[in-house]
Amino acid sequence: KTQKKVRDFVSGETFGDIALMYNTPRTGTIIATQDVSVWVVARPTFRKSVMNLVSAKRKRWEEFLSRVPLLEGLPLNERAKIADALREREYKDKDFVIHQGDLGQEFFIITKGRAKVTKKLADAEEESVVLEVGRRPSIWRISTAASGSKTKANVIADGPLCVV
């Protein structure tokens, strides 16, 4: 069977992690094209390390969520489910997090930075800044919308912004 080259790896890149995490056969063969040194990690060590990282991340997010007024009353197991689902996103200055009129299908919590909430008001030529927000409850109310309804304002990064 002829092997097809799919990609090249460079120093610092990893391979084999998917097979170790999910206990599946490897999907490819790695062939060195020059002298190379690699570190090898056995499955039990790798899985334990990954589980420790996941556990530490979950604990950090659970603690963070317990300080979010909208979520603080949730039982710990419900906050744990949310913590497991969180994905961090970073935005640069002036990047849109939410566009006015888009379907509201996501919920955002600011973890770092600030954002401006702008809205095109009736009979106005330009959008107006209606609120400036950081890590406080106001953004949670503004950035949420029932599934299927349209968002009522823009949320725009005011400098570097990180949300979950």
Side-chain angles (χ1 to χ4, degrees):
K1 182 177 177 182
T2 307
Q3 292 184 356
K4 176 182 157 192
K5 181 178 177 180
V6 176
R7 65 168 294 200
D8 290 317
F9 286 90
V10 297
S11 180
E13 290 188 282
T14 63
F15 55 87
D17 49 328
I18 301 299
L20 290 178
M21 282 193 298
Y22 299 107
N23 199 24
T24 60
R26 299 196 187 280
T27 58
T29 301
I30 305 294
I31 300 171
T33 57
Q34 63 187 43
D35 288 345
V36 63
S37 295
V38 296
W39 289 20
V40 178
V41 179
R43 181 186 313 269
T45 304
F46 179 80
R47 290 188 68 130
K48 183 173 172 102
S49 297
V50 168
M51 292 308 292
N52 288 342
L53 283 171
V54 168
S55 178
K57 181 180 174 187
R58 175 192 273 179
K59 184 175 179 174
R60 180 172 54 103
W61 286 124
E62 284 175 355
E63 288 174 7
F64 174 76
L65 293 173
S66 72
R67 296 187 307 272
V68 174
L70 184 64
L71 305 175
E72 65 189 357
L74 286 178
L76 183 59
N77 66 325
E78 293 297 322
R79 279 200 311 265
K81 288 178 189 175
I82 294 171
D84 286 342
L86 292 178
R87 298 293 173 258
E88 229 170 350
R89 293 186 195 167
E90 294 184 3
Y91 294 90
K92 294 183 244 128
D93 187 36
K94 297 184 178 42
D95 282 354
F96 278 73
V97 179
I98 297 172
H99 286 88
Q100 183 176 349
D102 285 353
L103 288 180
Q105 298 178 327
E106 295 181 283
F107 175 80
F108 298 90
I109 302 171
I110 293 177
T111 59
K112 293 179 195 155
R114 299 187 54 74
K116 290 183 181 179
V117 179
T118 66
K119 188 172 185 174
K120 184 154 180 143
L121 303 171
D123 301 327
E125 289 283 320
E126 295 185 20
E127 295 176 355
S128 300
V129 175
V130 293
L131 189 61
E132 294 186 14
V133 293
R135 273 185 59 184
R136 46 178 210 230
S138 53
I139 187 67
W140 304 314
R141 288 191 298 272
I142 289 164
S143 64
T144 59
S147 181
S149 66
K150 294 188 177 191
T151 56
K152 307 286 187 225
N154 299 301
V155 177
I156 305 167
D158 188 14
L161 178 68
C162 188
V163 301
V164 290

